[in-house]
Each structure stands twice: as C-alpha cells, then as structure tokens.
C-alpha cells in the first residue's frame, strides 16, 4: 500500500525538517504537500500521513510560554520567520519538533467527504482541513491541553451539508436567494467567531491576569476539579458561573489553565469588545455577541450553527447565565437563550452531550460593588471603554482577600433535558438546577456574616462583642448543616477584628472609638453595599427563615389547623405560601424536595417534631427555646420591604397600563420616603433590582396585566399578605430583643 507523508509546511526549512524526519520514521513513503498531490491519479488505498513542524518557545522560568515582550516586538516564537528557522534548528534543536496526526486512506476520506460536505466543495480542501485538524490534535499532546483551540472554524461550518441545508430552509422562509443568506450568515459569523491563536492566548493571560492576581488570592475546589478532568476526557464541559465581577472569566481561566484544562470558549457581551481588549480577547477565546439578537433570524442561524459546531467538536464552553453581574449579591434570574441553542445542538446531533458545570465565584471584597449599588439605586451605568479599563486596572492594586472558585454537582445536559419534560418549562428546570447547584456550592465568607450582623433588627452600631454574639448561632448553624462556611476564627476574637477592619478600610463600615468601647456601624449611604456582602450567603438561611415565620403563624393562631393532627399539613401549606411570595428572589427546588429540606431545618429548630403531636403551645415554646438563634428578620425583611413599596403603589393605581421603567422610578421615590419615615425597616431594600423582582411577582400573580375585574382584588390581597408577614418579622425581632435584654440582665446579676 502506497503511503504519502502529507506535509503542512510554510518554509523551505520546515520542508527540510520533515524530509529528515520522514527518512527515519517513514522511509518507504514519499513526502508531498497538498498542492503536489493529484488525488484522481492516486489509488483509493493510498495512506495519507499528516505531519507538521512545531516550533516551541524558549524555556523561561521553567516553562515554555510566549511572553508579552515577544508580542511587543512583533515576534512569535511559535511561528518564527523563515530567516530565523535554520538558526533555531541548529542552535536550539529542542525547540523543533515534528508531530504526526492520525493517518487515513483516500477511500476513508472520500466516504467522510460524501457524508459531511455540501455539494460543490473541493475534495482537496476537505482533505487539507482534515489533515490540519488531525495534526492539531497530535500537537496538543506536545504543548498541553491548555492550548487546545478550534481551527478552521468558519471553513468547517460554511462547507458542511448541515449548514447549507439550514441556509436553504431560512432563505425559503425569508423569500431570499440562498446565496445571499449564506453570505450574510458567514459575514455575521465572522464578527463573533473566536479566531484563536496560542500567541494571543499567552499575551491575553500575561496582560490581563494582573487585573486579579494582585487583588485576590485564588482558591479552587480541587476535588471537583479532579472529577472534571476525568469527565473532560469523554465529554465537553459547559461552565455556567455566577457573575459578580468583570474579572470572573480571568479568575476561572487562571484556575483551569493552572491545572492544564483546555481553554473555554467564553461567550460575552460585545460591550467589552473595545480596543485593545476586544481584539486580543477574541483571539484568546472570547466570543463577543450582541446583547439582543432575537429579531435577526440570520444572526440567530449563524450563532446556532457556531454553537452546534462547538458541541459537536467537544470544545469547552463558558457563559454567564445571569446575563450580567449581580447588583445585589444574589443570583439574578437565568437567561435561557444560549442554553436553548446548546440544548438544541445536543438533541439534534446523534449521541452528542455536554456536561454542565455550575460554578460559583465569590470574593472577600469587591470594589465594583459601589458602582453596582448606585445603579441599583437608580444611577446610570458607565460605558466600558479604554479609560474605564485603565481606571479599573488601577483599582486592582490593593489586596482584597480571597477569591473562591467552587463547583456544583456536574450533570449531563441530555439526561437533564430528558427528565425535564417538554416545552420551554424544561429549559427553566435545567436553569433552575444550575442556579440551585451554584447556591449550594457558594461558600459563606466572614465578610458576608459581618454584613448579616450589621444589617440587624435595629439600624445602629455594634461592639465587637455584640457582633460576636450575633454570629455565634450562625456559626453553629453552619457547622450543623455542613455548609461551606468561613474559618470560624475570622468571626470571633482577634480574627473578627481583622474582618471588621477590612470592611472599614474598604469603606463599607465606619467605626467610632471615642467612648469606652469601639463600635462599628454601616457607613453613611452604604446599606446596599453591606447588603451585597450579606446577600452572597443569604440563600443558605432562607429555608430556615421560612420555617421560623411559618411556625410563628401557627403559634400565634394566624393560621389554625382543625386539629393537632392537621398541624403539620397547615405548617407546610403556610411555608409553601411564603415560598411562593419569594420565588422571584430565590431559587427553590421542586415542592417535594423543598418540604424535605424544611424537615431537615425542623430537625435543628425543634428536634422532637417527628415524634411529637404538635400543638400551638408546643410550637410557641420551640420558638422561644431558640430565641437568640432566629434568622428570619435579618434574612427576609429586605424583600418584604421591597414588596411593600410595589404593592402599595399598585393598590393606589387604577387599571391604566403601567410603563415598567417609569413605575420602578416611582418605587425608588416612595421607597426612599418610607425609609426616611421609618416605615421601611431595611434601607438596602430601596433598590431597582428588588423592585423589579417584586414587579415580576405582581405580573405572575395577575396584579399587573391580569383581568381588569380581578386586579384590584389581587393587589389588595397581596398588600395584606405583605403587611402580615412584615408584622411576623417584627414579632421575631421582638423575641430576639427580649432574649437579648434578659441575657443582659442575667449578666448584670
């Protein structure tokens, strides 16, 4: 059988390197370039062996990697100019390697060509593309998986039979020539396809990694990372991280790169595609896409085809499912557009699948919070540009603690789709699982707990000893639940003073030391910033808070069971009602699992509940026994205060159409007024983001956009519910205050 070494060469020096290599490794084969082969004259049994020369960078500090200095002087050690290659080969032979891809016969290549390529595409071009990709895979074994990048993307997509069929279908729908639609789709694809190069990946890392390396020490969940490495051998990974900072992609990329993972293709908004960041990032693996493109069918087709290609070729993906950075510290509602495209690709390709990796990234301190809090309070977002980037970089010169990367339970997208039913609701179920896994994996920081303490039942300053008393039951609860908590030493004694000092230095807290004891309080107008830190861990306490509020309703007779035997059912129904009022603020599991979680909370709050026939008196005593350890007021007050503002405005409205943007601005005005009057207890509730969630709650229950003859009743009932729940929170605050006063009197004795 005849064999041909198919040489992918650019220069005479590379041709000589391959000729010498082939004489040793394939002495019976002839060496040819693609252009030198007449495929029509070759027997079908001819074996083609793709090879190429790989030029390695010099060793710098124990590692072969391109430096920023190389890019500055327009030199790429991975592609040295022809005049330098003989010298490198002679003086540094360790930098010159030949890689051999998997071989194939002409008959095998022709069968693949007939199956995959659109009619009219060149067989020689197809062979060249397959040879380049085969050699590329072998090259990765030499340079490392972190340099795995897609090659010849546009060529592979545009020449595929599947793409041409999609073009023909869309052209028929639009009433346009297929050639015109294909040209437009290809042009639009060129605006977002990540044309990656290893040089620019190294340049990007060395240039922009400084945006976080000086500011945070990064810690990673190494156990799950090891599992992901094993999974990545058989499936591509889709990382869906929480989004709190501009540096999230850099932090995650650095963590994965350090452990030699293939680079993620990162889908991001084109607001960051400005010079010089955009061109460098795009060639380092960032896919800049429009924020909105639902009305452009050709753009949608191009994006769908690109993501289908990525899934089929098993490249790793990353995007931020919230669609933007959190302005409150909690997860935002998931955006389903990109998820729907990837789901479509998985289901349309035989045996295709991806492993979804819910990812949490949190920071001890985050300087962006101030700007985001101002936006949540009605301020205007500054556009990103070069001046913004320089200001942002200057702000990263201060060490701000730790950045933690944690992973939720990975899962098969194909299996989850199959288990989620049909219609759009199944995508929502997939997204909610992602968000729930992110929340579960999110670690609780000492700064989160300090924010939890500062935003207390009373808006006042606290001594370190008082804060320590507030945090003690939280730390016990975290340990009992096995939650990913902070180092306890950072929440007591000298460690707590360090935590408070960091927040004071960051301007979050203010301190007064003119009296006998030093006290800490929230700095003026910084309640929203303090809440951002608190909210990063708040979801861990929501189930407990719902149980407390539901138990109080039973204990006070607000909801009354027909008998003691019916007590549990009534309590569960009340908990589900409260959950329904908070479903646009937090991500809850399905009803059965939610009730199971509430049972686990009751095991801690009232350990005998499974063997006791509950009565109102027993429930009341169980609550009193936990005085000083109740979290509902600190956990839920903000959200029912925000709902109070929205429900109050709606109750005074007629059935005239509501402009959402104008209405939210009215909410901000009323919220500030009620806060000044002391009606609204939590100053951090004056937030456009929280009012937006309450607005969506109103739409969901029919208080906005519902039947006109029902809207007035629904609004009045909702307002009454909010008043009722705020009254219960005030009662819980009173129980806490009574316990604290009693403890103080006992201490005085």
């Amino acid at each position: 059988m005849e064999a041909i070494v198919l040489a992918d060469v650019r220069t005479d020096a590379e041709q000589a390197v391959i000729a010498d290599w082939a004489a040793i490794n394939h002495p019976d084969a002839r060496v040819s370039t693609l252009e030198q082969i007449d495929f029509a004259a070759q027997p079908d049994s001819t074996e083609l062996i793709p090879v190429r020369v790989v030029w390695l960078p010099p060793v710098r500090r124990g590692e072969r990697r391109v430096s920023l200095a190389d890019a500055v002087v327009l030199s790429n050690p991975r592609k040295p100019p022809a005049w330098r290659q003989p010298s490198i080969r002679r003086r540094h032979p360790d930098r010159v390697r030949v890689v051999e891809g998997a071989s194939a016969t002409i008959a095998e290549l022709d069968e693949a060509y007939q199956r995959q390529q659109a009619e009219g595409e060149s067989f020689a071009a197809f062979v060249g593309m397959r040879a380049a990709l085969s050699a590329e895979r072998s090259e990765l074994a030499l340079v490392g998986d972190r340099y795995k990048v897609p090659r010849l993307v546009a060529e592979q997509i545009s020449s595929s039979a599947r793409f041409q069929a999609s073009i023909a279908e869309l052209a028929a729908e639009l009433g346009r020539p297929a050639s015109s639609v294909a040209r437009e789709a290809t042009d639009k694809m060129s605006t977002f396809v990540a044309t990656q190069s290893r040089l620019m990946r190294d340049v990007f890392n060395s240039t922009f990694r400084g945006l976080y390396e000086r500011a945070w020490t990064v810690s990673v969940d190494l156990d799950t990372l090891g599992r992901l490495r094993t999974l990545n051998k058989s499936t591509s990974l889709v990382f869906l991280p929480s989004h709190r900072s501009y540096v999230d992609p850099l932090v995650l990329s650095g963590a994965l790169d350090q452990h030699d993972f293939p680079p993620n293709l990162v889908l991001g908004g084109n607001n960051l595609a400005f010079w010089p960041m955009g061109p460098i990032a795009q060639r380092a693996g960032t896919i800049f896409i429009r924020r909105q493109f639902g009305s452009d069918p050709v753009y949608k087709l191009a994006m769908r085809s690109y993501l289908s290609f990525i899934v089929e070729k098993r490249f790793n993906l990353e995007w931020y499912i919230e669609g933007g950075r959190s302005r409150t510290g909690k997860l935002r509602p998931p955006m389903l557009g990109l998820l729907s495209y990837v789901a479509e690709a998985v289901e349309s390709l035989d045996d295709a699948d991806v492993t979804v990796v819910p990812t949490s990234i949190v920071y001890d301190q985050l300087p962006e919070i101030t700007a985001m809090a101002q936006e949540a309070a009605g301020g205007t977002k500054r556009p990103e540009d070069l001046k913004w980037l320089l200001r942002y970089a200057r702000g990263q010169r201060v060490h701000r603690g730790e950045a933690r990367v944690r992973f939720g339970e990975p899962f098969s997208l194909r299996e989850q789709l199959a288990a989620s039913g049909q219609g759009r609701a199944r995508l929502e179920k997939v997204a909610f699982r992602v968000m729930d896994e992110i929340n579960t994996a999110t670690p609780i920081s000492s700064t989160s707990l300090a924010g939890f303490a500062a935003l207390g039942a009373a808006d006042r300053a606290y001594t370190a000893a008082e804060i320590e008393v507030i945090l003690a039951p939280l730390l016990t609860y975290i340990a009992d639940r096995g939650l990913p908590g902070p180092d306890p030493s950072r929440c007591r004694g000298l460690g707590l003073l360090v935590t408070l000092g960091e927040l004071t230095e960051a301007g979050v807290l203010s301190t007064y030391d003119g009296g006998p004891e030093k006290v800490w309080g929230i700095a003026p107008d910084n309640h929203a910033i303090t809440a951002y830190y608190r909210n990063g861990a708040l979801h861990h306490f929501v189930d407990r808070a719902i149980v407390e509020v539901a138990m109080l309703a039973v204990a006070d007779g607000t909801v009354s069971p027909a008998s003691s035997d019916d007590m549990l059912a009534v309590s569960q129904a009340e908990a589900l009602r409260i959950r329904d009022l908070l479903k646009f603020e937090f991500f809850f599991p399905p009803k059965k699992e939610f009730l199971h979680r509430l049972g686990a909370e009751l095991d801690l709050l009232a350990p005998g509940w499974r063997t006791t026939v509950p009565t109102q008196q027993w429930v009341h005593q169980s609550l009193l026994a936990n005085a000083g350890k109740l979290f509902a007021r600190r956990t839920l007050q903000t959200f029912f205060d925000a709902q109070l503002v929205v429900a109050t405005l709606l109750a005074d409205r007629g059935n005239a159409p509501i402009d959402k943007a104008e209405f939210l601005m009215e909410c901000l005005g009323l919220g500030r007024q009620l806060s000044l009057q002391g009606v609204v207890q939590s100053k951090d509730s004056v937030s456009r983001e929280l009012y937006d969630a309450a607005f969506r709650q109103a739409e969901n229950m029919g208080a906005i956009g519902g039947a006109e003859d029902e809207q007035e009743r629904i609004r009045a009932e909702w307002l009454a519910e909010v008043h009722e729940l705020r009254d219960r929170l005030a009662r819980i605050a009173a129980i806490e205050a009574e316990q604290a006063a009693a403890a103080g009197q006992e201490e005085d004795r």
Side-chain angles (χ1 to χ4, degrees):
M1 180 175 67
E2 184 178 356
I4 299 176
V5 172
L6 184 56
D8 179 9
V9 296
R10 297 179 299 118
T11 65
D12 291 342
E14 290 183 349
Q15 183 78 49
V17 169
I18 288 178
D20 292 346
W21 175 89
I24 298 172
N25 293 276
H26 295 283
D28 297 329
R30 62 186 173 93
V31 179
S32 298
T33 63
L34 184 67
E35 295 76 17
Q36 294 170 337
I37 301 176
D38 181 1
F39 288 102
Q42 296 297 324
D44 286 349
S45 61
T46 302
E47 181 183 23
L48 300 181
I49 307 167
V51 299
R52 71 164 57 147
V53 176
V54 177
W55 301 90
L56 300 176
V59 176
R60 295 182 172 108
R61 297 180 181 178
E63 185 177 9
R64 293 189 185 275
R65 180 171 288 192
V66 177
S67 70
L68 179 60
D70 293 319
V72 170
V73 299
L74 303 179
S75 170
N76 183 358
R78 299 187 188 280
K79 288 186 178 180
W83 62 270
R84 288 199 60 201
Q85 290 178 358
S87 173
I88 293 173
R89 185 186 181 193
R90 183 176 63 255
R91 298 174 59 189
H92 305 285
D94 61 302
R95 290 184 55 194
V96 188
R97 308 286 178 85
V98 175
V99 294
E100 176 182 345
S103 63
T105 65
I106 290 179
E108 291 168 337
L109 291 167
D110 184 61
E111 190 274 331
Y113 169 75
Q114 298 295 336
R115 185 178 68 253
Q116 299 174 10
Q117 291 303 99
E119 185 176 349
E121 296 293 332
S122 163
F123 178 68
F126 175 77
V127 171
M129 183 170 59
R130 288 286 294 262
L133 294 172
S134 179
E136 177 82 10
R137 285 189 286 271
S138 297
E139 186 174 342
L140 286 175
L142 177 64
V143 300
D145 280 344
R146 65 179 179 272
Y147 290 107
K148 179 184 178 182
V149 296
R151 301 290 192 187
L152 306 172
V153 174
E155 293 86 345
Q156 292 184 73
I157 295 175
S158 61
S159 64
S160 71
R162 186 168 62 245
F163 179 76
Q164 295 295 340
S166 299
I167 288 291
E169 183 178 342
L170 179 60
E173 291 177 12
L174 299 177
R176 293 174 51 188
S179 59
S180 170
V181 175
R183 185 165 52 253
E184 182 181 346
T186 303
D187 288 345
K188 287 179 174 176
M189 194 182 302
S190 68
T191 66
F192 55 71
V193 167
T195 53
Q196 292 175 277
S197 78
R198 289 165 186 161
L199 169 66
M200 296 311 292
R201 175 167 167 74
D202 284 339
V203 169
F204 183 82
N205 287 339
S206 60
T207 302
F208 294 108
R209 195 160 286 174
L211 289 178
Y212 77 87
E213 284 186 330
R214 287 174 294 182
W216 295 281
T217 302
V218 179
S219 70
V220 188
D221 175 6
L222 295 179
D223 290 340
T224 307
L225 206 60
R227 291 175 55 205
L228 293 176
R229 181 187 301 283
T230 301
L231 285 169
N232 207 185
K233 293 177 181 178
S234 57
T235 178
S236 60
L237 305 177
V238 173
F239 291 87
L240 297 179
S242 57
H243 200 12
R244 288 181 168 84
S245 171
Y246 286 109
V247 300
D248 289 340
L250 300 176
V251 170
L252 181 56
S253 171
L256 297 175
D257 186 69
Q258 185 179 0
H259 294 86
D260 202 34
F261 272 72
N264 294 342
L265 290 166
V266 183
L267 291 149
N270 58 5
N271 57 304
L272 292 176
F274 57 86
W275 185 90
M277 189 176 204
I280 297 176
Q282 188 171 26
R283 298 193 66 194
T286 301
I287 304 165
F288 290 112
I289 60 176
R290 298 180 191 170
R291 288 287 187 178
Q292 303 288 337
F293 54 84
S295 60
D296 187 338
V298 179
Y299 192 97
K300 287 172 65 176
L301 172 64
M303 178 57 63
R304 186 181 295 113
S305 300
Y306 184 36
L307 291 178
S308 181
F309 167 84
I310 291 170
V311 169
E312 183 180 23
K313 301 301 181 183
R314 287 176 38 192
F315 287 98
N316 290 349
L317 263 173
E318 172 190 336
W319 77 84
Y320 292 78
I321 194 168
E322 297 167 87
R325 293 170 300 146
S326 170
R327 266 61 176 173
T328 63
K330 298 191 299 87
L331 292 179
R332 303 177 76 178
M335 308 293 285
L336 303 181
L338 293 174
L339 182 63
S340 70
Y341 288 173
V342 173
E344 178 184 308
V346 165
E347 294 189 313
S348 64
L349 298 169
D350 293 338
D351 300 321
D353 197 6
V354 299
T355 296
V356 177
V357 186
T359 305
S360 169
I361 307 175
V362 295
Y363 306 83
D364 280 346
Q365 297 179 51
L366 194 60
E368 297 164 44
I369 296 176
T370 301
M372 290 190 289
Q374 290 170 350
E375 293 167 26
T380 303
K381 181 177 182 290
R382 289 186 177 182
E384 296 86 355
D385 54 23
L386 182 57
K387 289 183 179 179
W388 165 86
L389 179 62
L390 294 174
R391 284 196 305 270
Y392 189 85
R394 284 196 295 269
Q396 305 307 100
R397 295 174 180 173
V398 178
H399 186 67
R400 303 183 186 277
E402 192 172 9
R404 298 170 179 84
V405 181
R406 302 292 184 267
F407 305 103
E409 186 64 29
F411 61 88
S412 158
L413 180 56
R414 179 178 286 275
E415 292 177 4
Q416 184 62 40
L417 287 168
S420 299
Q422 298 296 320
R424 183 177 175 84
R426 68 181 187 147
L427 279 181
E428 293 175 350
K429 290 179 182 178
V430 174
F432 270 63
R433 177 172 178 182
V434 171
M435 310 310 269
D436 192 45
E437 290 288 349
I438 291 174
N439 274 338
T440 300
T442 297
I444 303 168
S445 68
S446 58
T447 50
S448 290
L449 294 186
F452 193 95
L455 291 162
D459 186 14
R460 66 175 182 84
Y462 295 86
T463 66
E466 288 175 320
I467 293 174
E468 192 169 333
V469 168
I470 295 170
L471 295 186
L474 281 168
L475 293 173
T476 300
Y477 175 78
I478 289 168
D480 290 344
R481 281 275 314 279
L483 298 176
D487 179 352
S489 67
R490 293 269 298 180
C491 299
R492 59 172 70 106
L494 293 177
L496 177 59
L497 294 178
V498 171
T499 299
L500 296 174
E502 290 174 352
L503 289 174
T504 303
E505 187 176 344
V508 179
L509 301 180
S510 62
T511 184
Y512 176 76
D513 58 2
E517 290 187 86
K518 193 173 186 179
V519 293
W520 284 265
I522 299 170
D525 300 322
N526 270 2
H527 288 75
I529 298 174
T530 309
Y532 189 102
Y533 286 105
R534 176 202 63 191
N535 291 349
L538 202 61
H539 57 275
H540 287 297
F541 309 119
V542 171
D543 290 348
R544 165 64 172 260
I546 289 175
V547 169
E548 292 173 10
V549 176
M551 287 179 69
L552 184 63
V554 174
D556 286 350
T558 307
V559 293
S560 300
S563 66
S564 293
D565 293 339
D566 195 37
M567 184 77 73
L568 179 60
V570 170
S571 300
Q572 289 180 336
E574 181 65 7
L576 289 170
R577 183 175 76 93
I578 299 167
R579 169 185 184 258
D580 197 53
L581 288 172
L582 295 168
K583 65 184 179 183
F584 288 94
E585 291 292 357
F586 300 98
F587 297 95
F588 295 106
K591 177 180 175 181
K592 185 176 180 180
E593 184 181 345
F594 174 70
L595 292 176
H596 175 73
R597 291 186 183 183
L598 296 193
E601 294 294 343
L602 275 170
D603 286 336
L604 299 177
L605 195 59
W609 76 274
R610 295 183 187 271
T611 56
T612 301
V613 178
T615 63
Q616 283 185 240
Q617 183 181 9
W618 179 86
V619 174
H620 192 266
Q621 288 174 344
S622 297
L623 278 175
L624 290 179
N626 284 279
K629 307 172 188 176
L630 302 177
F631 306 153
R633 162 63 178 85
R634 296 173 185 272
T635 303
L636 301 180
Q637 186 73 52
T638 294
F639 309 103
F640 286 121
D641 278 355
Q643 289 192 24
L644 174 70
V645 171
V646 175
T648 299
L649 276 179
L650 286 177
D652 295 335
R653 289 291 179 101
N655 288 323
I658 295 176
D659 180 89
K660 183 176 180 179
E662 292 180 2
F663 182 81
L664 294 182
M665 290 304 295
E666 289 183 56
C667 289
L668 286 168
L670 179 60
R672 293 188 184 107
Q673 174 192 318
L674 295 181
S675 175
L676 290 170
Q677 292 177 296
V679 176
V680 164
Q681 300 296 312
S682 52
K683 293 181 179 179
D684 58 288
S685 69
V686 183
S687 163
R688 185 164 53 189
E689 293 276 320
L690 298 182
Y691 296 146
D692 181 80
F695 188 95
R696 286 183 282 115
Q697 171 74 21
E699 288 180 314
N700 181 258
M701 62 174 52
I704 297 175
E708 290 187 1
D709 58 342
E710 289 290 309
Q711 279 190 161
E712 185 176 350
R713 176 187 61 79
I714 294 171
R715 292 174 181 179
E717 289 178 354
W718 182 32
L719 181 58
E721 282 187 294
V722 172
H723 277 303
E724 176 189 357
L725 288 163
R726 292 178 76 251
D727 287 344
R728 287 191 216 165
L729 295 177
R731 176 69 188 282
I732 288 175
I735 293 173
E736 295 288 273
E738 290 169 10
Q739 190 277 340
Q745 291 173 3
E746 184 67 28
E747 198 172 295
D748 290 341
R749 292 196 189 103

